[in-house]
Amino acid sequence: MNGAEKVRIQSDGNVGIGTTTPNWNLQIASSTKTRLALSDMSAGADLKHWLLSSMGGSFYIGTSSDAYATSTISALTINSNGYLGISTTSPAQQLAV
C-alpha cells in the first residue's frame, strides 16, 4: 500500500471508502468495479454472498461463489435509462425478464 488514505470518517459522521469527501452516510468510490458484498457466513457453500455493484452507469445485484471467483448473471439490473432487468444485464425496455 502506498500510505494514501483509504477510509475517511468526517465530523458529520459520513464515511467514505475511496473518497475523502463523502456526501452520504456511506459512500464507496472507485474508478474500477465498485462493489459491495453482503455476506451471510452461516449460509451453505457458494450461497453466502450477494454483490451490489455500479459499473458504467448501471446498478447490478448478483451473487458470487465463496472464493469470489465466479459471479452469476446479475439477478437484477437497473441501467442509466431506468430500465429494469431481471436475469439480464442489458434491459432494452422498462422491464426485461
Side-chain angles (χ1 to χ4, degrees):
M1 293 189 153
N2 61 12
E5 183 176 11
K6 305 291 188 237
V7 177
R8 161 79 53 110
I9 302 174
Q10 294 187 165
S11 60
D12 62 4
N14 288 355
V15 177
I17 299 173
T19 179
T20 58
T21 56
N23 294 303
W24 297 278
N25 299 95
L26 175 61
Q27 183 175 359
I28 302 170
S30 173
S31 58
T32 58
K33 294 186 179 181
T34 303
R35 292 185 178 176
L36 173 66
L38 301 175
S39 300
D40 175 2
M41 301 314 287
S42 66
D46 293 327
L47 299 172
K48 295 177 179 70
H49 312 290
W50 279 92
L51 303 177
L52 289 80
S53 61
S54 173
M55 293 182 281
S58 294
F59 176 71
Y60 304 94
I61 298 175
T63 61
S64 174
S65 68
D66 287 350
Y68 296 108
T70 58
S71 295
T72 62
I73 293 176
S74 178
L76 182 109
T77 301
I78 303 172
N79 69 15
S80 59
N81 292 327
Y83 294 171
L84 173 67
I86 298 173
S87 296
T88 178
T89 58
S90 54
Q93 55 195 26
Q94 288 181 331
L95 176 62
V97 180

